[in-house]
Each structure stands twice: as C-alpha cells, then as structure tokens.
Coordinates of all heavy atoms in Angstrom, one line a residue:
F9 N 47.4 -19.3 -60.3 CA 48.1 -19.8 -61.3 C 48.6 -21.2 -60.8 O 48.6 -21.4 -59.6 CB 49.2 -19.0 -61.8 CG 50.2 -18.6 -60.8 CD1 51.5 -19.4 -60.7 CD2 50.1 -17.5 -59.9 CE1 52.4 -19.1 -59.8 CE2 51.1 -17.2 -59.0 CZ 52.1 -18.0 -58.8
T10 N 49.0 -22.1 -61.7 CA 49.5 -23.3 -61.3 C 50.9 -23.4 -61.9 O 51.2 -23.0 -62.9 CB 48.8 -24.5 -62.0 OG1 47.3 -24.3 -61.5 CG2 49.3 -25.8 -61.6
Y11 N 51.9 -23.8 -61.0 CA 53.3 -24.0 -61.4 C 53.7 -25.3 -60.8 O 53.6 -25.5 -59.6 CB 54.0 -22.8 -60.8 CG 55.5 -22.9 -61.3 CD1 56.0 -22.5 -62.5 CD2 56.4 -23.2 -60.3 CE1 57.2 -22.5 -62.9 CE2 57.9 -23.2 -60.7 CZ 58.3 -22.8 -61.9 OH 59.5 -22.9 -62.2
K12 N 54.3 -26.2 -61.6 CA 54.9 -27.5 -61.2 C 53.8 -28.2 -60.3 O 54.1 -28.7 -59.2 CB 56.2 -27.3 -60.5 CG 57.3 -26.9 -61.5 CD 58.7 -27.0 -60.8 CE 59.7 -26.6 -61.7 NZ 61.0 -26.6 -61.1
N13 N 52.6 -28.4 -60.8 CA 51.5 -29.1 -60.1 C 51.1 -28.5 -58.8 O 50.2 -29.1 -58.1 CB 52.0 -30.6 -59.8 CG 52.2 -31.4 -61.0 OD1 51.5 -31.2 -62.0 ND2 53.3 -32.3 -61.1
L14 N 51.5 -27.3 -58.4 CA 50.9 -26.7 -57.2 C 50.1 -25.5 -57.7 O 50.6 -24.8 -58.6 CB 52.1 -26.2 -56.3 CG 52.8 -27.4 -55.6 CD1 53.9 -26.9 -54.7 CD2 51.8 -28.3 -54.7
K15 N 49.0 -25.2 -57.1 CA 48.2 -24.1 -57.3 C 48.5 -23.0 -56.4 O 48.6 -23.1 -55.1 CB 46.7 -24.4 -57.2 CG 46.3 -25.4 -58.2 CD 44.8 -25.9 -58.0 CE 44.4 -27.0 -59.0 NZ 43.0 -27.4 -58.7
Y16 N 48.6 -21.6 -56.9 CA 48.9 -20.6 -56.1 C 48.0 -19.5 -56.2 O 47.3 -19.3 -57.2 CB 50.3 -20.0 -56.5 CG 51.5 -21.1 -56.3 CD1 51.8 -21.8 -57.3 CD2 52.1 -21.1 -55.1 CE1 52.9 -22.8 -57.1 CE2 53.2 -21.9 -54.9 CZ 53.5 -22.8 -55.9 OH 54.6 -23.7 -55.7
K17 N 47.9 -18.6 -55.1 CA 47.1 -17.4 -55.3 C 47.9 -16.2 -54.9 O 48.6 -16.3 -53.9 CB 45.9 -17.5 -54.3 CG 45.1 -16.4 -54.4 CD 43.9 -16.6 -53.3 CE 43.0 -15.3 -53.4 NZ 42.0 -15.3 -52.2
V18 N 48.0 -15.3 -55.7 CA 48.8 -14.0 -55.4 C 48.1 -13.4 -54.1 O 46.9 -12.9 -54.2 CB 48.9 -13.0 -56.6 CG1 49.6 -11.8 -56.2 CG2 49.6 -13.7 -57.8
T19 N 48.9 -13.2 -53.0 CA 48.3 -12.5 -51.9 C 48.8 -11.1 -51.6 O 48.2 -10.2 -51.1 CB 48.5 -13.3 -50.6 OG1 50.1 -13.5 -50.5 CG2 47.9 -14.6 -50.6
K20 N 50.0 -10.8 -52.2 CA 50.6 -9.4 -52.3 C 51.5 -9.2 -53.4 O 52.3 -10.1 -53.7 CB 51.3 -9.3 -50.8 CG 51.8 -7.9 -50.5 CD 52.3 -7.8 -49.2 CE 52.4 -6.4 -48.8 NZ 52.9 -6.1 -47.4
C21 N 51.3 -8.1 -54.0 CA 52.2 -7.8 -55.1 C 52.5 -6.3 -55.1 O 51.7 -5.5 -55.8 CB 51.5 -8.3 -56.5 SG 52.7 -8.1 -57.8
T22 N 53.6 -5.9 -54.5 CA 54.1 -4.5 -54.6 C 55.4 -4.5 -55.2 O 56.0 -5.6 -55.6 CB 54.1 -3.8 -53.2 OG1 55.1 -4.4 -52.5 CG2 52.8 -3.9 -52.5
A23 N 56.0 -3.3 -55.4 CA 57.4 -3.1 -56.0 C 58.5 -3.9 -55.1 O 59.3 -4.6 -55.6 CB 57.7 -1.8 -56.2
S24 N 58.2 -3.9 -53.8 CA 59.1 -4.5 -52.9 C 58.8 -5.9 -52.3 O 59.6 -6.7 -51.9 CB 59.5 -3.5 -51.7 OG 58.3 -3.3 -51.0
T25 N 57.5 -6.2 -52.3 CA 57.1 -7.5 -51.8 C 56.1 -8.2 -52.7 O 55.1 -7.6 -53.1 CB 56.3 -7.1 -50.4 OG1 57.0 -6.3 -49.5 CG2 55.9 -8.4 -49.6
K26 N 56.4 -9.5 -53.0 CA 55.6 -10.3 -53.8 C 55.4 -11.6 -53.2 O 56.4 -12.3 -52.8 CB 56.3 -10.4 -55.2 CG 56.3 -9.2 -56.0 CD 57.2 -9.3 -57.2 CE 57.5 -8.0 -57.9 NZ 58.2 -7.1 -57.0
E27 N 54.1 -11.9 -52.7 CA 53.8 -13.1 -52.0 C 52.7 -13.9 -52.6 O 51.8 -13.3 -53.2 CB 53.6 -12.8 -50.5 CG 54.7 -12.2 -49.8 CD 54.4 -11.6 -48.4 OE1 53.2 -11.7 -48.0 OE2 55.3 -11.3 -47.6
V28 N 52.8 -15.3 -52.4 CA 51.6 -16.0 -52.8 C 51.3 -17.0 -51.8 O 52.2 -17.4 -50.8 CB 51.9 -16.8 -54.1 CG1 52.1 -15.9 -55.2 CG2 53.3 -17.7 -53.8
S29 N 50.2 -17.7 -51.8 CA 49.7 -18.8 -50.9 C 49.5 -20.0 -51.8 O 49.0 -19.8 -52.9 CB 48.3 -18.3 -50.3 OG 47.7 -19.4 -49.5
V30 N 49.9 -21.2 -51.2 CA 49.7 -22.4 -52.0 C 48.2 -22.8 -51.7 O 47.9 -22.8 -50.5 CB 50.6 -23.5 -51.5 CG1 50.3 -24.9 -52.3 CG2 52.0 -23.2 -51.5
T31 N 47.4 -23.0 -52.7 CA 46.0 -23.4 -52.4 C 45.7 -24.8 -52.7 O 44.5 -25.2 -52.4 CB 45.1 -22.4 -53.3 OG1 45.4 -22.6 -54.6 CG2 45.1 -20.9 -52.9
G32 N 46.5 -25.6 -53.3 CA 46.2 -26.9 -53.6 C 47.1 -27.5 -54.6 O 48.3 -26.9 -54.9
T33 N 46.8 -28.6 -55.2 CA 47.6 -29.2 -56.2 C 46.7 -29.7 -57.3 O 45.6 -30.1 -57.1 CB 48.3 -30.3 -55.6 OG1 49.3 -31.0 -56.6 CG2 47.6 -31.5 -55.0
S34 N 47.3 -29.9 -58.5 CA 46.6 -30.4 -59.6 C 46.9 -32.0 -59.7 O 46.2 -32.6 -60.6 CB 47.1 -29.7 -60.9 OG 48.6 -29.8 -61.1
K35 N 47.6 -32.4 -58.9 CA 48.1 -33.8 -58.8 C 47.6 -34.5 -57.5 O 48.4 -34.6 -56.6 CB 49.6 -34.0 -59.0 CG 50.0 -35.2 -59.5 CD 51.5 -35.2 -59.9 CE 52.1 -36.6 -60.1 NZ 53.5 -36.6 -60.1
K36 N 46.3 -34.8 -57.4 CA 45.6 -35.2 -56.3 C 46.3 -36.6 -55.7 O 46.2 -36.9 -54.4 CB 44.2 -35.4 -56.4 CG 43.4 -34.2 -56.5 CD 43.3 -33.4 -55.2 CE 42.5 -32.2 -55.2 NZ 43.0 -31.3 -54.2
K37 N 46.8 -37.4 -56.6 CA 47.5 -38.7 -56.2 C 48.9 -38.7 -55.9 O 49.6 -39.8 -55.8 CB 47.1 -39.8 -57.2 CG 45.5 -40.0 -57.3 CD 45.2 -41.2 -58.0 CE 43.7 -41.5 -58.2 NZ 42.9 -41.5 -57.1
A38 N 49.5 -37.5 -55.7 CA 50.9 -37.3 -55.4 C 51.2 -38.0 -54.1 O 50.5 -38.1 -53.1 CB 51.3 -35.8 -55.3
T39 N 52.4 -38.6 -54.1 CA 52.9 -39.2 -52.9 C 53.8 -38.3 -52.1 O 54.1 -38.6 -50.9 CB 53.7 -40.6 -53.1 OG1 54.8 -40.2 -54.0 CG2 52.7 -41.6 -53.8
S40 N 54.4 -37.3 -52.7 CA 55.2 -36.3 -52.0 C 54.9 -35.0 -52.5 O 54.6 -34.8 -53.7 CB 56.6 -36.7 -52.1 OG 57.1 -36.5 -53.5
L41 N 55.1 -34.0 -51.6 CA 54.9 -32.5 -52.0 C 56.2 -31.8 -51.6 O 56.8 -32.0 -50.6 CB 53.8 -32.0 -51.1 CG 52.4 -32.2 -51.6 CD1 51.5 -31.6 -50.7 CD2 52.1 -31.6 -53.0
N42 N 56.6 -30.8 -52.4 CA 57.7 -30.0 -52.2 C 57.2 -28.5 -52.3 O 57.1 -28.1 -53.4 CB 58.8 -30.2 -53.0 CG 60.0 -29.4 -52.5 OD1 60.1 -28.8 -51.5 ND2 61.1 -29.3 -53.4
I43 N 56.9 -27.8 -51.3 CA 56.5 -26.5 -51.3 C 57.7 -25.7 -51.4 O 58.4 -25.6 -50.3 CB 55.5 -26.1 -50.1 CG1 54.3 -27.1 -50.3 CG2 55.1 -24.7 -50.1 CD1 53.6 -27.5 -49.0
P44 N 57.9 -24.9 -52.3 CA 59.1 -24.2 -52.6 C 59.2 -23.0 -51.8 O 58.1 -22.4 -51.3 CB 59.2 -23.8 -54.0 CG 57.8 -23.8 -54.5 CD 57.1 -24.7 -53.6
A45 N 60.4 -22.3 -51.6 CA 60.6 -21.1 -50.9 C 60.0 -19.9 -51.8 O 59.5 -19.0 -51.2 CB 62.0 -20.8 -50.5
T46 N 60.3 -20.0 -53.1 CA 59.8 -19.0 -54.1 C 59.3 -19.7 -55.2 O 59.6 -20.9 -55.5 CB 60.9 -18.0 -54.4 OG1 62.0 -18.9 -55.1 CG2 61.6 -17.2 -53.2
V47 N 58.5 -18.9 -56.1 CA 58.0 -19.4 -57.3 C 57.9 -18.2 -58.3 O 57.8 -17.0 -57.9 CB 56.5 -20.0 -57.1 CG1 55.6 -19.0 -56.6 CG2 56.0 -20.7 -58.4

C-alpha cells in the first residue's frame, strides 16, 4: 500500500505484532524523505 507518498509492504501481521517494510516512494523527485516510526 501507499501512504503519504511512501510505498509499504506488510511483512508481519499477527494479533501482537504488525510490521511493514518501506519499498519506495511515489514521489521520485522528492528532496526530503521522512520514514515514520509507524504507519
């Protein structure tokens, strides 16, 4: 999925642990990136 111009892939989804990996951006000409702690 994409959220705030960043593309993510769900890597783990259990009742207690939910994790994603950032796989890229939809904004290739961005001058700054902020990879959040959570999404």
Side-chain angles (χ1 to χ4, degrees):
F9 62 97
T10 301
Y11 182 76
K12 292 191 178 178
N13 297 320
L14 291 178
K15 295 176 184 177
Y16 297 94
K17 180 180 180 189
V18 176
T19 53
K20 192 170 191 177
C21 189
T22 66
S24 60
T25 309
K26 292 167 190 62
E27 297 177 349
V28 293
S29 172
V30 183
T31 59
T33 180
S34 58
K35 205 174 169 189
K36 290 286 183 204
K37 297 200 184 295
T39 56
S40 67
L41 280 176
N42 185 14
I43 296 145
T46 60
V47 66

